[in-house]
Amino acid sequence: MASGTSRDVLWRGLAVLGRAIREQPRIFAVAVTGSVLFGLMVIASAYVVGAVVGDVVVPAIADGSAEVGVLALAAVALFGISVLRVVGIFGRRLGAGYMQFRLQAAYRRRVTRRYLDLPLSWHHRNATGTLLSNANSDVEAAWYPIAPLPFAVGTLVMLVGAVVSLFVTDWALALVGLAVFPALFALNVVYSRRMAPRQARAQRLRAEVSGIAHESFDGALVVKTMGREAQETERFGARARELRDALVSVGRLRGVFDPMLETLPSLGTLAVLVVGTFRLREGAISVAELVSVAFLFTVLAFPVRAIGWVLAELPRSVAGWDRVRRVLDATGEMPYGDRVLDPADPRPATLTFADVHFAYEPAEAHLPGAEVLGEVSFTVPAGKTVALVGPTGAGKSTVASLAVRLVDPRAGTVAIDGVDVRDLTAASLAGTAALVAQVPFVFDDTVRANITLDRPGIGDDDVWAALRLAEADGFVAALPDGLDTRVGERGTSLSGGQRQRLTLARALAGRPRLLVLDDATSAVDPRVEAAILAGLRSTASSPGAPGASILVVAYRRATIALADEVIYLEQGRVIARGTHTELLATVPGYADLVTAYEQAEVEQAEQRTYDDEVTPPLASGLEMEVDR
């Protein structure tokens, strides 16, 4: 690494430490006070030991006797110094540890909060494993030098005191100290320069290993069904070996410099003894002063290393901080407004799209994004069901995301009850509209917890009502512990259709006035799906009963036929609208698409029938269903 780059890492690292001090000034002051107290007691102990040797031990050897009072006084002095050193160590370590862990916890919260504020388009451009690394190992790395920092600051004070005391004692011995201490600093600087690129590379590889591991575990079904276990293992192993080699490189460098940093103070002690012997013969210093200086060099070896620890960890800290700051400085959050829809209004909401245009942000910021939707306008009237139908890539899921404001339009307006969703508060929007996505996500918790999500006002009666409406009460009642049954990570103990109905019940439990179903029942048997949608539709249209307007991304003819109106999309444009019967008769593309979907349903039904005939039924008390 170039010298300029090394200086850059040093100053950036010091800036990170300065931020830490500004954020936790009181705790840092406690830690530094303890460290300074420890350093001063180290210097004091050196001179007390020198006085004991020069004024007690040497005369005792010469005269054959020792003064008990003087020995007792020396013992008390050493004991008092030891007690103060312990107090200093306790304050330093407690303050440093508390400061480090407090910063790590605070920045984990900040990073996670930032993740939640940033739009989905930003998350689409960043691997999940990298985001996990940002919130975990990168935060730890950024504040890793905090642990030795107070010790290093106290050591600087101690070194200044030591140099001053050396000059007070003897100029020749002071020159030895002035030669050793700068050499220690120079060696630490060289160490830091060589360590910086190695630490940065190791930190980057940590994130990559985490990303590959998360991707492999998350895609375990694909990996196993495609027989890619060996290839994925090798892919992970190759990057893990790179990380191993990077960490070994770090260890080798430490193995070279650590002995040098340990040896240099010892050489200083030897030089003090050699020079001090000549000065003692000349009568320039006493035995007590020589012993004090030699002892001081001996005990300074370990504290001086604290400065080296800080300098050695600065490259890693800078690498981690850069990755954390990339998240904290990311732009694109969607600020909410301050308007609130009446939470006591039980009527279904009206959803309006007015000339909406949308384009996803490209992976490269300087490239223009391809338009996904253009001039999309339609209305979901209060209490009505509107189906979105179109070929793959037509923009149906994008419309669903816009309806609940997971993303914002490039132009045009999405409004609920005449209010632009961008003007609503987060709580008002969440309480009014609910999205049930294509891929159901279930937490590793109980059925009850998955449905309530700790939202206030949702009791067991509300949970069972939502389950009944989602046609899920039957299989939940048959579970070993009912609502208290844990469903496993991502709901692995449930079938795909059961997970979908559970997530639908979760949305219904909040009593939304607008329900957006993005192909949310694709894994459910068609008869069950029809019963769910019919129940939702009848509830929404019942006079005086709370209900929801429904926007549903649909494929099956039976589902589409239940809608009051069908919106047919192609290439992000509304091609036609009307009832299912009208579009079937007047729009060839719509008729071809629905017929193709229907033929695929027939073939899948025939396959299921065949499988049922050749496969013995499973003995289970739970409801069984086919997952598509």
Side-chain angles (χ1 to χ4, degrees):
M1 177 176 287
S3 178
T5 304
S6 175
R7 286 194 295 270
D8 179 61
V9 170
L10 175 62
W11 288 114
R12 289 165 62 200
L14 292 177
V16 175
L17 298 182
R19 174 184 287 268
I21 294 170
R22 289 193 301 272
E23 292 198 16
Q24 303 290 335
R26 294 181 180 177
I27 301 175
F28 181 71
V30 170
V32 169
T33 300
S35 182
V36 170
L37 177 62
F38 170 81
L40 294 177
M41 291 305 101
V42 167
I43 296 174
S45 65
Y47 282 91
V48 169
V49 168
V52 169
V53 172
D55 299 336
V56 178
V57 176
V58 172
I61 294 175
D63 300 339
S65 62
E67 296 184 17
V68 177
V70 175
L71 286 175
L73 183 61
V76 170
L78 287 175
F79 178 77
I81 289 173
S82 298
V83 170
L84 291 176
R85 285 179 65 177
V86 169
V87 172
I89 292 172
F90 180 78
R92 183 195 77 218
R93 290 188 174 180
L94 181 63
Y98 194 72
M99 181 178 177
Q100 181 184 32
F101 298 138
R102 191 183 178 95
L103 283 167
Q104 288 176 352
Y107 273 83
R108 282 195 181 98
R109 289 193 295 268
R110 292 185 191 181
V111 168
T112 303
R113 180 69 258 177
R114 193 65 184 148
Y115 286 160
L116 298 176
D117 289 339
L118 289 166
L120 286 179
S121 57
W122 185 87
H123 288 272
H124 292 160
R125 300 194 304 272
N126 293 273
T128 303
T130 300
L131 302 184
L132 291 173
S133 179
N134 292 152
N136 187 28
S137 64
D138 290 334
V139 169
E140 288 185 358
W143 306 120
Y144 198 80
I146 296 301
L149 178 61
F151 196 8
V153 173
T155 298
L156 288 174
V157 175
M158 181 171 60
L159 288 177
V160 172
V163 171
V164 171
S165 64
L166 286 176
F167 273 103
V168 171
T169 301
D170 183 66
W171 64 267
L173 296 181
L175 291 178
V176 175
L178 289 180
V180 172
F181 295 151
L184 277 173
F185 280 111
L187 189 60
N188 275 311
V189 169
V190 174
Y191 182 29
S192 177
R193 289 179 57 185
R194 299 208 175 178
M195 182 64 76
R198 291 171 171 81
Q199 288 283 25
R201 182 168 182 267
Q203 199 63 22
R204 174 178 58 80
L205 287 171
R206 282 188 179 95
E208 293 181 7
V209 168
S210 176
I212 293 174
H214 181 273
E215 191 174 52
S216 298
F217 300 153
D218 214 30
L221 179 62
V222 175
V223 171
K224 295 187 73 65
T225 55
M226 300 299 291
R228 302 292 297 176
E229 295 95 331
Q231 289 80 3
E232 281 299 301
T233 301
E234 176 55 31
R235 185 166 76 104
F236 178 82
R239 198 52 52 89
R241 287 191 292 271
E242 286 187 52
L243 176 58
R244 176 203 63 193
D245 294 342
L247 294 175
V248 167
S249 177
V250 170
R252 284 175 177 168
L253 190 65
R254 282 179 173 163
V256 171
F257 278 88
D258 279 0
M260 297 171 63
L261 292 169
E262 291 280 0
T263 302
L264 198 54
S266 299
L267 293 177
T269 303
L270 181 61
V272 164
L273 291 175
V274 172
V275 174
T277 300
F278 287 104
R279 298 293 289 168
L280 184 63
R281 288 178 179 176
E282 295 173 357
I285 60 173
S286 65
V287 173
E289 290 172 330
L290 176 59
V291 172
S292 296
V293 173
F295 184 78
L296 185 60
F297 269 80
T298 302
V299 296
L300 279 178
F302 177 72
V304 168
R305 292 296 311 280
I307 300 173
W309 295 335
V310 173
L311 293 176
E313 293 299 336
L314 282 185
R316 181 182 175 189
S317 174
V318 169
W321 174 248
D322 285 345
R323 295 170 64 84
V324 170
R325 191 178 61 182
R326 184 183 67 86
V327 176
L328 299 179
D329 293 346
T331 59
E333 69 272 19
M334 300 186 299
Y336 288 92
D338 55 6
R339 297 193 62 178
V340 177
L341 297 174
D342 185 2
D345 189 349
R347 296 172 300 174
T350 298
L351 174 68
T352 305
F353 274 61
D355 195 23
V356 170
H357 295 251
F358 180 81
Y360 284 103
E361 295 180 19
E364 300 292 337
H366 63 279
L367 297 177
E371 189 169 73
V372 178
L373 297 177
E375 300 178 356
V376 172
S377 298
F378 66 88
T379 298
V380 180
K384 300 298 183 181
T385 300
V386 173
L388 280 177
V389 181
T392 301
K396 303 182 297 296
S397 292
T398 302
V399 170
S401 296
L402 285 163
V404 294
R405 211 196 166 202
L406 293 180
V407 292
D408 279 338
R410 173 178 290 181
T413 303
V414 179
I416 297 178
D417 285 347
V419 180
D420 192 320
V421 293
R422 288 169 290 199
D423 295 334
L424 292 172
T425 66
S428 183
L429 180 59
T432 302
L435 169 69
V436 185
Q438 286 176 303
V439 180
F441 183 85
V442 180
F443 295 94
D444 183 11
D445 209 328
T446 64
V447 172
R448 179 188 289 103
N450 266 285
I451 294 176
T452 63
L453 295 183
D454 289 329
R455 289 173 289 182
I458 301 179
D460 282 2
D461 291 342
D462 301 302
V463 170
W464 282 113
L467 288 170
R468 282 192 295 273
L469 200 54
E471 296 287 329
D473 56 320
F475 82 79
V476 170
L479 292 173
D481 298 314
L483 293 179
D484 294 315
T485 302
R486 297 190 69 91
V487 297
E489 185 177 5
R490 292 181 177 269
T492 52
S493 65
L494 304 176
S495 68
Q498 289 172 340
R499 289 194 294 271
Q500 283 193 333
R501 282 182 276 171
L502 203 62
T503 55
L504 176 58
R506 173 196 297 159
L508 294 172
R511 297 187 178 182
R513 299 170 54 219
L514 172 65
L515 186 62
V516 181
L517 306 178
D518 184 8
D519 193 24
T521 53
S522 59
V524 176
D525 184 275
R527 292 168 296 179
V528 176
E529 181 190 37
I532 292 172
L533 292 175
L536 293 174
R537 192 165 184 266
S538 62
T539 300
S541 59
S542 299
S549 307
I550 301 172
L551 176 64
V552 55
V553 175
Y555 294 93
R556 294 168 175 167
R557 181 189 290 260
T559 305
I560 298 169
L562 289 172
D564 297 292
E565 184 179 32
V566 178
I567 306 294
Y568 179 57
L569 295 175
E570 277 188 7
Q571 297 181 353
R573 300 292 194 277
V574 176
I575 301 302
R577 57 194 306 164
T579 65
H580 167 64
T581 303
E582 292 170 350
L583 296 186
L584 202 60
T586 59
V587 183
Y590 175 83
D592 292 342
L593 184 67
V594 173
T595 301
Y597 286 149
E598 188 173 36
Q599 181 60 36
E601 286 289 341
V602 170
E603 292 176 358
Q604 290 180 6
E606 291 175 351
Q607 182 63 44
R608 286 195 295 267
T609 301
Y610 172 77
D611 292 341
D612 290 342
E613 291 175 353
V614 300
T615 304
L618 295 174
S620 173
L622 303 182
E623 173 189 351
M624 302 304 297
E625 61 182 35
V626 177
D627 294 345
R628 288 202 312 165

